[in-house]
Amino acid sequence: MTIIEKGIDLLALVGLQRAIRDVGTFQVVGALVLLAAVGVFVDWLWMYQLHKKMPPGPMPWPIIGNTYQLPDEKPWILFEELAKKYKTQVLTFWIGRNPTVWICDAWAASDLLDKRAGIYSSRPHMVVFGALGTGQNNLVTMTYGERWRLHRKLTHMGVGLQQVRNYKPFQDDESRIVAYDVLRKPEQYVMHFERYAASVVSIIGYGRRIASDTDPIITEVIAVMQRAAELNVPGKTFPMLLETFPILSYFPPEIAPWMHGLRRGGGRAYGFFYALAEEAATESKNHNYMKAIFDENDKNHLSKKEIASLSGNLFGAGSDTSSSTLVTFVLACCAFPECLPKAWEELDRVVGNARSPDLGDAPSLPYVNAFVKEVFRWRSVAIIGGQPHAPIQDDYYKGWLIPKDTWVQGNTWAIHHHSRDFPDPDVFDPERFLQGGKRNRPFPNEKGYMTFGWGRRVCSGQGLAEQGTWITVARLLWGFWIRKAVDEKGREVPVDIFAYTNGLNMRPRPFACRIQPRTETHRQTIEREGLQALEDLSVYEGETRYRMSTFYRENPSVE
């Protein structure tokens, strides 16, 4: 055999060995692919079986569920449409492998979240606002249990119904200042509302008011709260896509751009609000909520993160939401001017023009009361009812299974736009809350709306928000003519009643309007009362030394 022949035989042997090795590799790869396919199929069979037992909804795809169907904005409208399509009060929509239940009917919401509050008062596993957010340090995201009950009790110390009655004097004065500010600079009405709402909760929490529209609490903290609300909406983009693919939340931020600003345990968001709380507790001359929290902490053993959460919740639940509600009130006045004369007639008859209304006038102002209720109903701020509920055990509703720990959400938009309960739902009509009104219909609770949530998870600040909204709406109705803006030719500029932001706490997108005092006497009264209110509130003057924009740069070691 020649050298060439031996070489050919050697090459053939090597080729054969490589072929055998490649076949082995292909077999391993093929086996892994087959195993993965079988795993996905078995998992999808589990999803399919659960899908048949749960409330109606679209068929989920393997792994991704129905996430691909989510719109870029306002998913609550999709859930409303799907509930109509499937002719169901309660809808199942899969976020990845997790079924979520969307309640799109007031009576079903009452049955489940109110009447079965003992079952539906916990929270499901959440990635963005749970593991990567405040988790078990915050009443809002905390699962139901002893620690939650403690935080609820402590929250009631600040904004419970018994406490809220004590806040009437300074809340009334702050409302008078809103009217005074609107009188002087009507084009800045949104900033006046934000200052007002933030000032009320700042007096409660820290013993000092917010006097300026440019105070950092407004320019910085409110913006952060609004951004957080924008993120807390089911979606198919990051960060909420982490709810569909939770495994992605374990990647370190250094190599995962979708984790930018997110970290397990909530990151560094706590330090600033703890500093505000500690400052108020140790330095404020006025009694305040944070001082009470620190005074009782020997027996409650709250961590710094828990105190920071109680501090931050005041702004999260009491400032952005209240100011957004007032902006909606202005939009309603512009879009439905026919409602104003009825309010004016009642206010002129009961109150007159020598003083503005106060909370003591409420029993004598049924139309104004109905007007405020319609503001809450027409464009509810917490459009998907806040954070999701979760049952602590398997439950059944009308034969449908709702498994333990399922994400259960009240679709406030769908509930408040159900034509059975609210005919012509996009029409702003206060008379739907008056007996004999042509659009008046039965409702499962006495208030006639579900703006603040349900059961044991109802918004702790509901009483404060209702009290503050009533007195401010009543005062602005009494004192001003609020109407559409006009262009250079004197023509009214239309307003869009559907132009709202996409966040969990939605508000109207910017629009122009005209706000003018109704008469010269009203103007004089607003001015006189505003100046007196400034004098009355002077005891709360002060300013924090902390700025969110610089806090962590100046305190790099603070968590």
Side-chain angles (χ1 to χ4, degrees):
M1 181 179 292
T2 65
I3 295 176
I4 294 176
E5 290 173 332
K6 290 181 179 180
I8 292 173
D9 289 343
L10 181 60
L11 288 172
L13 180 60
V14 170
L16 179 61
Q17 290 175 332
R18 287 178 176 173
I20 293 172
R21 186 171 66 248
D22 289 344
V23 169
T25 302
F26 290 146
Q27 287 177 333
V28 170
V29 172
L32 290 175
V33 170
L34 180 61
L35 185 62
V38 171
V40 169
F41 180 70
V42 170
D43 186 65
W44 182 81
L45 281 180
W46 168 81
M47 294 171 64
Y48 174 70
Q49 292 299 321
L50 192 56
H51 167 79
K52 291 197 300 182
K53 298 176 183 178
M54 292 187 67
M59 178 70 69
W61 284 19
I63 301 176
I64 64 172
N66 304 118
T67 302
Y68 70 95
Q69 292 180 262
L70 288 170
D72 294 333
E73 288 193 343
K74 300 177 175 58
W76 46 86
I77 296 177
L78 169 67
F79 301 139
E80 177 190 31
E81 292 171 347
L82 288 174
K84 292 177 180 178
K85 175 182 176 180
Y86 288 95
K87 298 179 181 179
T88 181
Q89 298 172 305
V90 183
L91 174 82
T92 302
F93 189 93
W94 290 71
I95 302 296
R97 298 177 61 257
N98 297 315
T100 64
V101 170
W102 290 86
I103 304 174
C104 297
D105 180 277
W107 302 85
S110 179
D111 286 344
L112 290 170
L113 304 182
D114 285 330
K115 296 177 182 177
R116 303 186 196 181
I119 296 176
Y120 287 89
S121 292
S122 196
R123 294 293 192 221
H125 174 73
M126 295 181 287
V127 176
V128 177
F129 283 82
L132 301 178
T134 56
Q136 299 305 302
N137 294 304
N138 193 311
L139 173 73
V140 177
T141 52
M142 197 179 289
T143 53
Y144 188 75
E146 288 298 323
R147 204 63 181 171
W148 178 86
R149 281 189 280 271
L150 171 63
H151 275 249
R152 183 73 167 183
K153 176 183 175 182
L154 294 175
T155 300
H156 283 169
M157 282 174 46
V159 293
L161 289 176
Q162 296 299 322
Q163 291 295 330
V164 165
R165 296 188 181 96
N166 299 325
Y167 303 152
K168 288 181 180 179
F170 67 73
Q171 202 170 16
D172 199 18
D173 277 334
E174 285 288 6
S175 175
R176 289 188 174 96
I177 294 172
V178 170
Y180 179 56
D181 288 341
V182 170
L183 179 69
R184 293 184 301 138
K185 298 179 180 179
E187 71 282 357
Q188 297 180 12
Y189 68 94
V190 175
M191 293 180 65
H192 301 327
F193 294 161
E194 290 179 344
R195 185 215 61 79
Y196 156 74
S199 189
V200 168
V201 296
S202 184
I203 293 174
I204 294 170
Y206 310 114
R208 63 175 181 83
R209 69 182 299 263
I210 295 173
S212 169
D213 294 338
T214 59
D215 188 290
I217 287 291
I218 299 174
T219 58
E220 297 175 2
V221 178
I222 299 296
V224 170
M225 294 296 179
Q226 290 175 354
R227 178 56 180 159
E230 290 172 3
L231 296 178
N232 196 12
V233 175
K236 54 189 177 185
T237 58
F238 289 110
M240 289 303 284
L241 192 59
L242 294 172
E243 302 291 349
T244 299
F245 302 110
I247 193 171
L248 297 179
S249 67
Y250 290 93
F251 283 67
E254 294 77 14
I255 64 171
W258 59 83
M259 291 293 291
H260 177 69
L262 299 173
R263 200 171 88 186
R264 291 195 166 264
R268 305 180 68 200
Y270 296 100
F272 175 75
F273 285 109
Y274 181 81
L276 290 180
E278 187 176 44
E279 179 186 50
T282 58
E283 299 180 20
S284 176
K285 296 178 182 179
N286 297 311
H287 175 76
N288 60 73
Y289 176 47
M290 288 299 111
K291 194 185 292 287
I293 292 294
F294 274 86
D295 286 347
E296 294 204 4
N297 204 31
D298 285 343
K299 65 179 181 181
N300 294 324
H301 308 294
L302 299 173
S303 68
K304 287 186 175 181
K305 288 185 175 182
E306 288 177 294
I307 292 175
S309 292
L310 290 166
S311 172
N313 284 351
L314 283 173
F315 287 99
S319 55
D320 179 31
T321 52
S322 293
S323 59
S324 297
T325 300
L326 293 175
V327 180
T328 281
F329 155 69
V330 172
L331 179 64
C333 290
C334 292
F336 299 91
E338 64 274 13
C339 297
L340 297 181
K342 297 176 183 179
W344 293 335
E345 186 281 326
E346 184 175 79
L347 287 161
D348 291 345
R349 175 167 39 82
V350 174
V351 178
N353 59 13
R355 68 171 180 89
S356 64
D358 59 37
L359 289 162
D361 295 314
S364 303
L365 297 170
Y367 186 82
V368 172
N369 296 338
F371 200 110
V372 175
K373 287 186 174 186
E374 181 69 337
V375 169
F376 283 133
R377 192 283 311 177
W378 183 61
R379 295 289 186 267
S380 302
V381 173
I383 199 61
I384 52 176
Q387 298 285 355
H389 295 235
I392 59 174
Q393 64 189 49
D394 286 357
D395 191 32
Y396 286 88
Y397 183 66
K398 296 190 173 181
W400 299 316
L401 169 67
I402 301 179
K404 176 183 177 181
D405 295 329
T406 297
W407 188 312
V408 179
Q409 197 95 41
N411 185 350
T412 314
W413 172 269
I415 288 169
H416 284 170
H417 282 74
H418 200 298
S419 59
R420 176 199 60 216
D421 302 324
F422 302 104
D424 307 311
D426 289 311
V427 173
F428 185 90
D429 178 15
E431 292 190 12
R432 69 172 79 245
F433 289 97
L434 296 175
Q435 289 295 327
K438 67 177 182 179
R439 294 187 176 97
N440 179 262
R441 297 292 187 276
F443 200 72
N445 66 35
E446 292 181 358
K447 290 184 179 293
Y449 55 80
M450 294 180 167
T451 305
F452 295 93
W454 302 269
R456 298 174 189 176
R457 288 286 184 170
V458 69
C459 175
S460 301
Q462 177 174 351
L464 181 70
E466 290 176 330
Q467 181 171 285
T469 300
W470 189 94
I471 189 56
T472 305
V473 167
R475 183 164 281 126
L476 294 176
L477 280 173
W478 166 87
F480 294 97
W481 188 2
I482 303 171
R483 49 186 168 165
K484 297 183 182 77
V486 294
D487 61 20
E488 63 279 1
K489 295 183 179 180
R491 296 172 300 194
E492 287 190 336
V493 178
V495 293
D496 185 352
I497 63 173
F498 297 99
Y500 271 72
T501 60
N502 188 49
L504 172 70
N505 293 334
M506 72 172 193
R507 66 162 53 189
R509 298 192 184 277
F511 63 95
C513 67
R514 286 179 292 167
I515 306 179
Q516 298 169 313
R518 290 178 56 208
T519 69
E520 176 59 21
T521 305
H522 285 86
R523 187 197 67 77
Q524 292 174 1
T525 303
I526 292 167
E527 187 173 63
R528 184 185 71 250
E529 291 187 348
L531 292 173
Q532 181 62 53
L534 285 170
E535 184 177 334
D536 293 343
L537 291 174
S538 61
V539 296
Y540 296 110
E541 293 298 333
E543 188 172 328
T544 178
R545 64 178 177 273
Y546 297 113
R547 302 288 184 272
M548 179 173 272
S549 57
T550 61
F551 180 82
Y552 294 103
R553 185 167 66 249
E554 295 169 353
N555 302 273
S557 62
V558 172
E559 285 292 326

